[in-house]
Amino acid sequence: MKIALLGYGKMGKIIEKIAHDRKHEIVLKIDNNNLHDLTSENLQQADVAIEFSTPSTVLGNIEACFKAGVPVVVGTTGWHHEMAQIKEQCEYGKNSLIYATNFSVGVNIFFHVNKILAKLMNSYPYYDVQVEEIHHTQKLDSPSGTAITIAEGIIDNLESKAGWVNILTGDDTADDANVTNDQLLIESHRIDSVPGTHTVIYDSEVDTIEFKHTAHNRNGFALGAVLAAEWVEDKKGFFSVEDMFDFNK
């Protein structure tokens, strides 16, 4: 395939390498230094675009892909409030987009097992649950999109939790004492050079159960994004990564 990279930071460069390894061609690379090159004419050179930019630029990049009629893989998080509008544009405008908070194969297996575990824990109400996420200090959003997906998987399947609340460690205004029993705590940590660690913790008076995913590097995220590009190329509509993996078969 011919691929456009919208966002050419650390993730973009890893995606470029993996795409080349899988015999694809990068025909357009956009970062802050050449935003003027993000035109319909340039985008239409590509079969698909992969978007890993920032929360402040992702919506404009999506709109540019829709205008050019190019399918887009979106890995940027922090735009959940606009999701319904983008879905509508896909459904009624015959646009193509696949979105995930995390495209890693391992993380998506984790998401699936997390839902099963949460449903199982309804039979054991003496366990309370929280989510912990650790990322590098350059990560702009808190909690991570991956942590939100984990939390939503728990809330949808565990009767005792109705919503989530986030605390970023080091924030002097944060106070976990204000978290109510029906709220799921997501505790966020920012530590240099950590690609991403997510832990679901079920705790009782007698023991603790921990379910953890640790990323060793960004390669798993990047490979998943390229796999998503291969999957979405000939499809129309709004898709989640669950559509691509389909663990429910």
Side-chain angles (χ1 to χ4, degrees), residues 7 61 92 106 130-131:
N61 289 341
Y92 295 104
Q130 75 173 66
V131 175

Side-chain angles (χ1 to χ4, degrees), residues 164-238:
W164 59 263
V165 62
N166 178 234
I167 289 179
L168 178 63
T169 57
D171 181 354
D172 293 338
T173 65
D175 183 5
D176 60 8
N178 294 325
V179 180
T180 60
N181 288 338
D182 66 344
Q183 291 179 317
L184 173 63
L185 173 63
I186 305 175
E187 191 173 278
S188 300
H189 305 267
R190 295 294 174 260
I191 300 172
D192 284 340
S193 304
V194 176
T197 299
H198 295 85
T199 309
V200 178
I201 304 166
Y202 287 92
D203 190 50
S204 75
E205 290 185 0
V206 297
D207 60 9
T208 300
I209 302 168
E210 290 192 2
F211 179 46
K212 178 185 286 188
H213 179 275
T214 302
H216 301 308
N217 51 53
R218 293 181 173 88
N219 292 10
F221 312 145
L223 173 60
V226 176
L227 293 174
E230 295 170 358
W231 184 86
V232 81
E233 179 189 8
D234 58 352
K235 295 177 174 64
K236 294 291 184 184
F238 184 97

Side-chain angles (χ1 to χ4, degrees), residues 22-234:
R22 294 180 67 84
K23 310 304 181 186
H24 302 307
E25 180 186 357
I26 306 300
V27 295
L28 180 65
K29 293 181 282 193
I30 299 293
D31 62 18
N32 287 333
N33 298 315
N34 69 330
L35 295 175
H36 58 278
D37 289 330
L38 185 60
T39 65
S40 289
E41 183 179 1
N42 287 339
L43 277 171
Q44 285 165 355
Q45 298 175 41
D47 300 308
V48 63
I50 300 179
E51 208 287 341
F52 273 83
S53 62
T54 65
S56 63
T57 57
V58 58
L59 291 173
N61 289 341
I62 291 171
E63 293 289 349
C65 291
F66 287 176
K67 184 177 179 181
V70 176
V72 57
V73 176
V74 181
T76 304
T77 57
W79 58 283
H80 194 268
H81 58 289
E82 298 287 349
M83 194 77 70
Q85 176 190 336
I86 296 300
K87 282 184 180 180
E88 187 175 318
Q89 287 182 258
C90 286
E91 291 169 3
Y92 295 104
K94 296 184 178 180
N95 298 302
S96 305
L97 182 149
I98 180 168
Y99 168 70
T101 56
N102 195 314
F103 282 100
S104 160
V105 174
V107 165
N108 280 280
I109 293 170
F110 186 96
F111 288 159
H112 183 64
V113 177
N114 173 59
K115 295 176 183 177
I116 296 171
L117 178 58
K119 188 172 293 186
L120 173 68
M121 295 306 288
N122 282 310
S123 299
Y124 308 97
Y126 42 86
Y127 284 91
D128 197 13
V129 61
Q130 75 173 66
V131 175
E132 180 183 88
E133 59 104 343
I134 308 171
H135 277 87
H136 49 86
T137 51
Q138 287 77 39
K139 185 160 184 62
L140 299 178
D141 52 328
S142 171
S144 69
T146 301
I148 292 173
T149 301
I150 292 168
E152 289 176 344
I154 294 170
I155 291 162
D156 288 345
N157 291 280
L158 188 65
E159 295 168 2
S160 62
K161 299 299 179 184
W164 59 263
V165 62
N166 178 234
I167 289 179
L168 178 63
T169 57
D171 181 354
D172 293 338
T173 65
D175 183 5
D176 60 8
N178 294 325
V179 180
T180 60
N181 288 338
D182 66 344
Q183 291 179 317
L184 173 63
L185 173 63
I186 305 175
E187 191 173 278
S188 300
H189 305 267
R190 295 294 174 260
I191 300 172
D192 284 340
S193 304
V194 176
T197 299
H198 295 85
T199 309
V200 178
I201 304 166
Y202 287 92
D203 190 50
S204 75
E205 290 185 0
V206 297
D207 60 9
T208 300
I209 302 168
E210 290 192 2
F211 179 46
K212 178 185 286 188
H213 179 275
T214 302
H216 301 308
N217 51 53
R218 293 181 173 88
N219 292 10
F221 312 145
L223 173 60
V226 176
L227 293 174
E230 295 170 358
W231 184 86
V232 81
E233 179 189 8
D234 58 352

